[in-house]
Amino acid sequence: MTAPRALKSVADLHGAGLVGEDGLDAASRVGQRYAIAVTPAMAALIDPDDAHDPIALQFVPDLRELDTTPQERADPIGDGAHSPVKGIVHRYPDRVLLKALHICPVYCRFCFRREMVGPSGDGTLSASELEDAFSYIRAKPEIWEVILTGGDPLVLSPRRLTEIMRGLRDIAHVKIIRFHSRVPVVDPAAIDEALIAALKASGKTVYVALHANHPREMTEDARAACALLVDAGISMVSQTVLLKGVNDDPAILAELMRAFVEARVKPYYLHHPDLAPGTSHFRLDIAEGQRIVEALRGRVSGLCQPTYVLDIPGGYGKALIGRSAVRQIDDGCYTISDYRGQSHTYPPEELE
């Protein structure tokens, strides 16, 4: 029996019942500008009868993607301003991004690198370009962590991943290697012994940051893929984008964060959506995001709390944007808000 294949065109989406006759023209117009790919694992989760299906919203083209606002930009977080050599982004002193490729197993409709990824995107680093990237890292002893991203680095073959990991193995000041990936969720069968062996080929500490946005993505197969990684000694953290219509509800986020923790994935970042072109229909304002995060704080265990962040447009890095629970009212005196929103004085008044 032939294994299901990824849906990589509007015709594929139509054949799978994910785009109807009345949506073909709009989807085709979007597909001419932005890449399309939906893996079988994600296609199986979509309810084609639900116009607001949260999985479909993430992966199926939407005509609203062709609407851009004046604030949106092709490079919303300013990678280009911090790229000394091709494939490297050095925004923070002790870590760099290594963008080895710009191919993904799925293409998210809200992607902040949507102008760079896909079959007609920035491509894969050649052997000489990869060596230039390694040379840059070798020459910077302050670099403690290398973060492989792109594109999704776990779509690389085990052989190619092994080459990269061995290239990093001999750089003594690099202690941590982190992979940003959707693969354990969108293509869990790809997490196998060969891939895990490749991830461990450097002998360094390895993390996988898993990107998932809705609890339905954390299927039994996805959880099994996470278990293979964690049982092999690879630590996992999560990344989630706060998306209108997908997860802008404390109950949905609580379910997702609990699913991460149950799968031994530590919630890490909750990203405010970036100003990528054609993504305004996914964005909510920061005040609404803060209200959702505050509601999450009172709903779930501390193990389940992500950090709410915004990548400041222009390349200025991440900022913590959760509303502070602390307000100074006098020298050494503060009011503290609890998870119910009630205020308390600290230090408390002396008892009679």
Side-chain angles (χ1 to χ4, degrees):
M1 182 178 177
T2 304
R5 61 183 183 86
L7 310 174
K8 296 187 176 182
S9 68
V10 174
D12 289 344
L13 295 173
H14 178 57
L18 302 184
V19 172
E21 290 287 343
D22 57 347
L24 281 174
D25 179 66
S28 296
R29 289 169 59 190
V30 175
Q32 289 171 8
R33 178 163 181 183
Y34 299 119
I36 295 170
V38 185
T39 57
M42 291 297 98
L45 295 179
I46 295 173
D47 179 357
D49 296 323
D50 181 0
H52 305 290
D53 184 272
I55 310 302
L57 288 173
Q58 295 183 65
F59 303 120
V60 176
D62 186 313
L63 189 59
R64 291 175 292 180
E65 294 174 54
L66 300 182
D67 296 331
T68 58
T69 69
Q71 296 82 15
E72 293 174 345
R73 51 191 73 188
D75 182 11
I77 69 169
D79 279 356
H82 298 280
S83 185
V85 298
K86 187 172 181 180
I88 291 287
V89 178
H90 195 175
R91 196 186 328 268
Y92 303 101
D94 73 337
R95 56 203 182 274
V96 294
L97 302 183
L98 174 55
K99 300 195 290 186
L101 78 168
H102 287 83
I103 303 297
C104 300
V106 294
Y107 291 106
C108 303
R109 313 321 306 168
F110 51 87
C111 179
F112 69 94
R113 292 196 180 111
R114 62 190 331 208
E115 301 280 0
M116 310 170 196
V117 299
S120 56
D122 288 354
T124 301
L125 294 184
S126 67
S128 63
E129 290 167 340
L130 186 61
E131 181 51 40
D132 288 344
F134 287 153
S135 294
Y136 179 85
I137 296 169
R138 286 189 202 101
K140 301 288 183 179
E142 67 269 26
I143 296 174
W144 174 78
E145 180 182 24
V146 174
I147 302 166
L148 279 99
T149 182
D152 193 318
L154 295 193
V155 304
L156 292 168
S157 69
R159 178 189 62 79
R160 183 74 165 144
L161 280 172
T162 299
E163 290 173 356
I164 292 172
M165 296 300 270
R166 287 178 176 167
L168 294 171
R169 177 181 60 192
D170 298 328
I171 305 177
H173 54 268
V174 172
K175 305 297 184 183
I176 307 294
I177 303 174
R178 190 196 326 171
F179 290 83
H180 286 182
S181 181
R182 262 191 173 280
V183 166
V185 160
V186 303
D187 188 16
I191 306 298
D192 58 17
E193 290 183 4
L195 186 140
I196 289 171
L199 295 182
K200 299 182 72 175
S202 70
K204 298 180 185 288
T205 299
V206 176
Y207 282 77
V208 169
L210 174 66
H211 176 186
N213 300 312
H214 194 275
R216 275 168 44 197
E217 296 173 53
M218 293 298 291
T219 63
E220 288 304 313
D221 286 343
R223 293 174 188 239
C226 292
L228 287 174
L229 290 164
V230 176
D231 287 345
I234 296 171
S235 298
M236 295 189 70
V237 296
S238 76
Q239 296 197 96
T240 295
V241 184
L242 185 58
L243 300 167
K244 185 185 292 185
V246 174
N247 58 19
D248 56 333
D249 179 324
I252 295 295
L253 279 180
E255 187 178 353
L256 175 61
M257 297 302 145
R258 284 174 173 148
F260 284 144
V261 172
E262 290 164 9
R264 293 179 284 171
V265 178
K266 176 67 181 80
Y268 183 36
Y269 279 147
L270 177 64
H271 293 272
H272 194 79
D274 296 306
L275 296 172
T279 62
S280 62
H281 55 291
F282 284 113
R283 289 198 296 275
L284 61 168
D285 66 34
I286 288 175
E288 178 61 20
Q290 290 173 330
R291 286 192 290 271
I292 291 168
V293 170
E294 287 176 358
L296 186 67
R297 181 164 64 98
R299 189 181 291 264
V300 293
S301 162
L303 290 172
C304 301
Q305 303 293 332
T307 300
Y308 185 32
V309 296
L310 169 73
D311 266 295
I312 303 171
Y316 299 102
K318 289 182 176 62
L320 309 183
I321 59 170
R323 187 177 291 147
S324 176
V326 181
R327 185 170 65 88
Q328 186 168 1
I329 56 176
D330 205 346
D331 288 345
C333 188
Y334 305 83
T335 59
I336 314 291
S337 297
D338 66 23
Y339 73 92
R340 297 184 181 91
Q342 297 174 345
S343 294
H344 308 270
T345 300
Y346 181 87
E349 295 180 2
E350 294 183 8
L351 296 175
E352 292 291 337

